[in-house]
Amino acid sequence: MQIKTLNNNLVDEYKKFLQDHPYAMFYHSIKYKNFLEKILECKAEYLLLCDNNNNIYGILPLMIKNGIYGKVINSLPFYGSHGSILTTKIAYEKYLLDKYYKLLQTKDILSSTVITNPLDEKFHKFKHNFKDERIGQWTNIKKINKEILLKKIDSSARRNIRKAIKNDIQVEINNNSIDFLKEQHKDNMSVLGGLPKDDNFFELVLEQFEPGIDFNIYIASKKQKPIAALLLFYFKNIVEYFMPVINQDFKSDQPLPLIIYHAMLDASQNNLEWWNWGGTWLNQEGLYKFKKKWDAIDKPYFYYTNCEKGKFKSLKKEDLLQNYKNFYIIPFGQVINEKN
């Protein structure tokens, strides 16, 4: 067995490994790797455990961002993308961990974070200085129909669906509506006081992923006017709930619940099994309850961060965020509390 770095000669074997592995997610895919490299302008170093015939038995995807304070490593970056180790046998983990820990010993590493896989209940406990937690929420959509789905979800979600239908909200897939998705996303983030995704995010979605195969944009309309949208990604048997947007003037019409209802039924008919709502912070009670209405079960996951704490004494949070945009650096709250 030997550790190799993913290259063009190993892409087919890598894809085969993901296809065969029960815990492989969209975030491990080659297309998402290419997407991250372009949008984050970072270096991919995907560690592969191979035999002499290039058969792959384990992977650890890493993205590395160079900055003025050194290198930040994530597995994986960009809004909590899952990485971590996938192996065919537990015994193989040691090879990848040894290589990873050796990499961390280089002097120019500012910090490194592994975001664990919520499907892997073993929870690989990486060496760390800091540990952070999120709640993953997942809905089982395997072989559901209208009656089953309406029975599974909360009564308030059923009422919202019926209200949208009563208000004559129409739902369709329209993968040419990326501009509406972008502009409405910016508006929503402005209302929430958050930072919107850059324009190149939307451009790269169209460039790197195939509509109808890798993603769909669902649109809700009222009187032929788009009022809400939802960007979903697909990989193997999983739907990724990626970007919901809504025109606030039509929020009371409940267009988003109707979109979710239609998208879940469509995904189930296409033999997908899981709807991944993404991560929720422990203090996001409202968001947690919204997802829970859709019969979501909890799948917690963790951020394991390695760093030399002393390196951050003279560094400012704003400078770090600017230099390592969309990378997880450290849990700033914990560091600040330590300093106090």
Side-chain angles (χ1 to χ4, degrees):
M1 291 290 188
Q2 55 187 309
I3 300 294
K4 296 184 178 181
T5 302
L6 178 62
N7 56 46
N8 291 336
N9 295 328
L10 292 167
V11 165
D12 289 341
E13 286 298 326
Y14 182 83
K15 289 180 178 179
K16 182 180 183 301
F17 175 86
L18 295 185
Q19 197 60 40
D20 293 341
H21 201 289
Y23 301 151
M25 297 180 67
F26 166 71
Y27 305 101
H28 298 106
S29 69
I30 290 290
K31 288 183 179 181
Y32 194 69
K33 168 189 169 291
N34 296 338
F35 170 81
L36 289 181
E37 286 180 290
K38 289 201 171 186
I39 197 168
L40 301 180
E41 298 180 341
C42 59
K43 175 189 175 185
E45 189 165 335
Y46 281 37
L47 305 180
L48 313 180
L49 179 64
C50 306
D51 64 16
N52 292 333
N53 296 317
N54 284 338
N55 296 307
I56 298 174
Y57 297 91
I59 67 169
L60 175 56
L62 302 174
M63 288 286 176
I64 304 173
K65 181 69 174 181
N66 278 305
I68 60 173
Y69 303 116
K71 295 176 180 177
V72 171
I73 302 173
N74 277 190
S75 180
L76 284 163
F78 201 70
Y79 297 93
S81 301
H82 300 289
S84 195
I85 285 177
L86 296 177
T87 59
T88 56
K89 292 182 180 180
I90 295 177
Y92 293 151
E93 296 174 7
K94 181 180 183 300
Y95 295 95
L96 291 161
L97 285 173
D98 287 348
K99 181 67 175 179
Y100 173 63
Y101 295 143
K102 186 176 181 180
L103 179 63
L104 298 188
Q105 293 173 7
T106 56
K107 294 181 179 179
D108 59 346
I109 302 297
L110 179 65
S111 74
S112 180
T113 299
V114 174
I115 302 171
T116 61
N117 187 330
L119 295 177
D120 189 350
E121 297 179 357
K122 294 191 298 296
F123 295 133
H124 305 281
K125 294 183 178 179
F126 293 82
K127 293 178 183 178
H128 61 280
N129 305 105
F130 297 102
K131 179 181 177 181
D132 212 348
E133 183 178 355
R134 303 285 187 273
I135 304 173
Q137 289 175 268
W138 295 63
T139 298
N140 190 329
I141 57 171
K142 185 177 181 179
K143 295 182 179 179
I144 59 171
N145 55 30
K146 293 180 180 180
E147 291 74 22
I148 293 173
L149 180 56
L150 290 173
K151 186 177 181 180
K152 282 165 62 81
I153 64 179
D154 188 79
S155 59
S156 61
R158 290 196 295 271
R159 287 195 299 271
N160 291 339
I161 292 169
R162 294 189 183 109
K163 184 175 182 181
I165 294 172
K166 183 179 179 181
N167 290 335
D168 198 27
I169 305 301
Q170 304 296 316
V171 173
E172 65 176 347
I173 296 172
N174 186 342
N175 290 321
N176 295 318
S177 56
I178 196 79
D179 289 339
F180 172 78
L181 182 76
K182 177 175 67 176
E183 295 308 317
Q184 201 59 67
H185 168 70
K186 289 181 179 179
D187 181 73
N188 287 178
M189 289 298 101
S190 176
V191 171
L192 295 172
L195 291 174
K197 291 181 173 62
D198 295 337
D199 286 352
N200 66 338
F201 166 84
F202 301 92
E203 295 166 3
L204 286 170
V205 167
L206 297 179
E207 177 185 305
Q208 297 295 321
F209 302 102
E210 186 175 350
I213 303 296
D214 302 315
F215 76 91
N216 274 324
I217 301 172
Y218 278 79
I219 294 288
S221 302
K222 186 171 185 178
K223 296 180 180 178
Q224 299 183 336
K225 174 185 174 66
I227 60 173
L230 176 60
L231 172 63
L232 301 173
F233 286 102
Y234 307 96
F235 185 74
K236 294 179 64 174
N237 64 340
I238 302 172
V239 185
E240 298 289 340
Y241 179 86
F242 210 88
M243 181 182 287
V245 302
I246 186 169
N247 184 324
Q248 297 296 319
D249 294 338
F250 296 91
K251 189 174 181 179
S252 63
D253 286 317
Q254 302 298 335
L256 191 55
L258 188 60
I259 288 179
I260 295 169
Y261 171 70
H262 281 288
M264 281 187 170
L265 291 175
D266 289 348
S268 183
Q269 290 175 7
N270 288 321
N271 297 316
L272 281 82
E273 299 182 13
W274 287 102
W275 180 284
N276 178 18
W277 293 95
T280 306
W281 291 69
L282 301 184
N283 61 356
Q284 291 179 307
E285 294 182 9
L287 182 59
Y288 177 84
K289 289 179 180 178
F290 171 77
K291 298 173 182 178
K292 198 73 174 177
K293 289 180 180 180
W294 294 87
D295 196 42
I297 60 175
D298 293 356
K299 290 183 178 290
Y301 61 95
F302 303 93
Y303 288 56
Y304 290 113
T305 300
N306 257 283
C307 66
E308 290 184 23
K309 301 176 186 179
K311 288 185 177 181
F312 293 91
K313 288 182 178 180
S314 60
L315 303 182
K316 295 181 180 179
K317 177 180 177 180
E318 294 76 15
D319 292 339
L320 290 167
L321 293 175
Q322 182 177 356
N323 276 275
Y324 305 98
K325 187 176 181 181
N326 290 318
F327 271 71
Y328 188 94
I329 309 164
I330 52 170
F332 289 107
Q334 294 183 46
V335 174
I336 291 172
N337 289 338
E338 281 192 355
K339 289 179 180 179
N340 292 340

